Amino acid sequence: MSVNQAVKLMNQEDHKVAAAVAEQLPQIEKVVEATIAGFKKGGRLIYMGAGTSGRLGVLDAAECVPTFGVEPEMVVGLIAGGEKAMTVAVEGAEDDAELGAQDLKDLQLNDRDVVVGIAASGRTPYVIGGLDYARSIGAATGTVACNKEAEISKHADMPIEVDCGPEFLTGSTRLKSGTAQKLILNMISTISMIGIGKVYNNLMVDVKPTNEKLVERSKRIIMQATEADYETAARYFEAAEQNVKLAIVMILTNSDKAAASEKLVQAEGFVKKTL
């Protein structure tokens, strides 16, 4: 193949991913609903996987902190072999079912938590060991596998099985399978956060302004949410001690910081419920 032919074929294959994921929307919905329910009880969302699957879980968990302003403990990504496995393969880790269970024990897993096992192959022992332990203590369990009738599906309450067909490079599950997993994890984390008030309309109102870019984005979010001008948004942003959601409620309800804070508490964090 020429490079032109190769990139066209990869793109054609990638077009199949969203359609394959669409077939599993009812199952994804179940996992999202369970996660929202868990969050409302003080539970956590815990992803676990090996290799590419584990890395995607770690990535999605890490991104929840700046995007939704949550503590790192609320969404956790476990990868077989630990942090070292993010960049180099840890031989044998994914084949250790006991390690999967132990990693969850180390997190003091409880029955309010939701565990989502991710395995492109659908049979990773590390994931199966974790799921079996999670079920034994009453935690909700879901899976993301990239083939039908996957082994891990037998070990979870809410299995998701997405089949994107053969990979462009045979067996390279970082390709279509990885893309499918990323799309599904995006849905689980994002819609679950929407379900607990971390979003207003389609705006990231709990974003953490940890750098200059995000400070400016925060002000633009306030402007979009309230139709205020830049100067007003900037003033309320500082008055709210750089808490975007609080600044929005202050403007929309014409309240001072203390009153707006109380309104948010009463509304369980939902901006719309303060209006």
Side-chain angles (χ1 to χ4, degrees), residues 121-123 145-154 161-163:
S121 67
R123 56 181 178 79
C146 293
N147 51 49
K148 301 296 183 181
E149 299 182 9
E151 180 63 27
I152 62 170
S153 298
K154 303 172 187 175
E161 297 181 339
V162 56
D163 184 359

Side-chain angles (χ1 to χ4, degrees), residues 8-56:
K8 283 183 176 178
L9 181 55
M10 279 196 76
N11 182 246
Q12 288 168 11
E13 289 297 313
D14 288 342
H15 273 278
K16 299 175 182 178
V17 177
V21 171
E23 294 178 3
Q24 290 295 296
L25 292 181
Q27 289 301 106
I28 297 169
E29 181 181 349
K30 292 177 184 177
V31 176
V32 171
E33 289 176 340
T35 303
I36 293 171
F39 282 162
K40 288 182 175 179
K41 292 184 289 187
R44 300 165 291 178
L45 170 60
I46 300 168
Y47 297 128
M48 61 187 313
T52 297
S53 299
R55 293 181 190 105
L56 287 168

